[in-house]
């Protein structure tokens, strides 16, 4: 037995918000189940990565952003200790992101919002920042490893010291 803390973090967000990119940045050896789509790839099952942060073993699960994959989001969400909602700060807030935010806020799970693509000249995080009630909001670029680790580490620090799930391996 080890007293190492383990936590399962699930990443939500609309199509193209940057969920897969964030996991690739945080864990370059992560695994991704994707299909080709116009202009790139899209997650059709899940992303999976792991890393050590603030004395925790963090298990990251990325969900598909397309609305039709609701069943996959439900399965992946089981037993999560925390949720990250990624929002593309170069776009207006869309209805699906609002729906994800409302469902996660009413679920009893710690939640943080990452406003993503903030290094992009077209990003307007200030406009979006106020639209997430009392939830903590971080401005990030999922392409930037330091920023991504910092934002994740700060979230993990806030999680209860006895997470729901004891063994995610
Ligand atoms: N400029 C910029 N582009 C980003 C950033 N994060 C992601 N992207 C780009 O946004 C596009 C979509 O990123 P993904 O990580 O595949 O998005 P996703 O949320 O996993 O998308 P789905 O799986 O289809 O729901 C890709 O072209 C990424 O390179 C960022 O921080 N800055
Ligand atoms: Mg993806």
């Amino acid at each position: 037995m080890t007293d190492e803390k383990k936590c399962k973090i699930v990443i939500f967000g609309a199509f193209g918000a940057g969920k897969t990119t964030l996991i690739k940045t945080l864990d370059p050896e992560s695994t991704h189940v994707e299909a080709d789509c116009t202009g790139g790839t899209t997650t059709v099952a899940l992303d999976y990565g792991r890393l050590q942060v603030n004395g925790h073993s963090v298990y990251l699960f990325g969900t598909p952003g397309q609305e039709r994959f609701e069943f996959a989001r439900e399965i992946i969400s089981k037993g999560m200790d925390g949720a990250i909602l990624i929002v593309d700060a170069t776009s207006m807030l869309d209805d699906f992101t609002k729906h994800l935010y409302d469902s996660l806020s009413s679920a009893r799970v710690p939640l943080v919002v990452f406003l993503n693509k903030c290094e992009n000249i077209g990003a307007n995080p200030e406009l979006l920042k106020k639209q997430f009630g009392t939830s903590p909001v971080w401005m990030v670029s999922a392409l930037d490893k330091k920023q991504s680790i910092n934002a994740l580490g700060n979230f993990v620090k806030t999680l209860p010291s006895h997470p729901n799930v004891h063994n995610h391996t």
Side-chain angles (χ1 to χ4, degrees), residues 3 6 18 25 27 48 65 73 79 81-82 96 105 115 117 123 141-142:
D3 61 358
K6 296 183 174 185
T25 297
D27 176 6
Y48 172 71
R73 285 186 290 276
D81 300 301
F96 183 56
S105 306
L115 298 179
K117 309 191 186 182
S141 167

Side-chain angles (χ1 to χ4, degrees), residues 128-149:
L128 291 167
K129 200 161 95 171
K130 300 179 191 87
Q131 308 201 37
F132 299 99
T134 55
S135 302
V137 176
W138 282 83
M139 296 187 201
V140 299
S141 167
L143 302 173
D144 184 309
K145 186 158 189 161
K146 204 170 152 192
Q147 267 182 32
S148 302
I149 289 182

Side-chain angles (χ1 to χ4, degrees), residues 26-109:
L26 289 167
D27 176 6
E29 297 191 346
S30 53
T31 307
H32 307 273
V33 186
E34 296 178 285
D36 293 334
C37 69
T38 317
T41 55
T42 185
T43 301
V44 292
L46 81 167
D47 309 291
Y48 172 71
R50 50 190 289 188
L51 75 158
Q52 289 289 126
V53 58
N54 291 341
H56 288 68
S57 286
V58 178
Y59 298 81
L60 295 169
F61 292 81
T63 56
Q66 294 185 59
E67 297 192 34
R68 65 198 170 94
F69 290 123
E70 182 66 29
F71 70 97
R73 285 186 290 276
E74 279 176 19
I75 294 165
I76 297 166
S77 302
K78 296 259 184 285
M80 64 181 161
D81 300 301
I84 297 175
L85 176 64
I86 302 214
V87 180
D88 182 345
T90 65
S91 305
M92 299 292 286
L93 196 57
D94 60 283
D95 287 345
F96 183 56
T97 302
K98 283 187 213 160
H99 157 76
L100 287 171
Y101 179 69
D102 291 342
S103 351
L104 290 166
S105 306
S106 52
R108 296 227 300 262
V109 61

Side-chain angles (χ1 to χ4, degrees), residues 14-21 42-43 64-65 116-117 119-120 141-143:
F15 174 69
K19 303 171 292 294
T20 298
T21 304
T42 185
T43 301
N116 190 32
K117 309 191 186 182
E119 93 298 343
N120 190 301
S141 167
L143 302 173

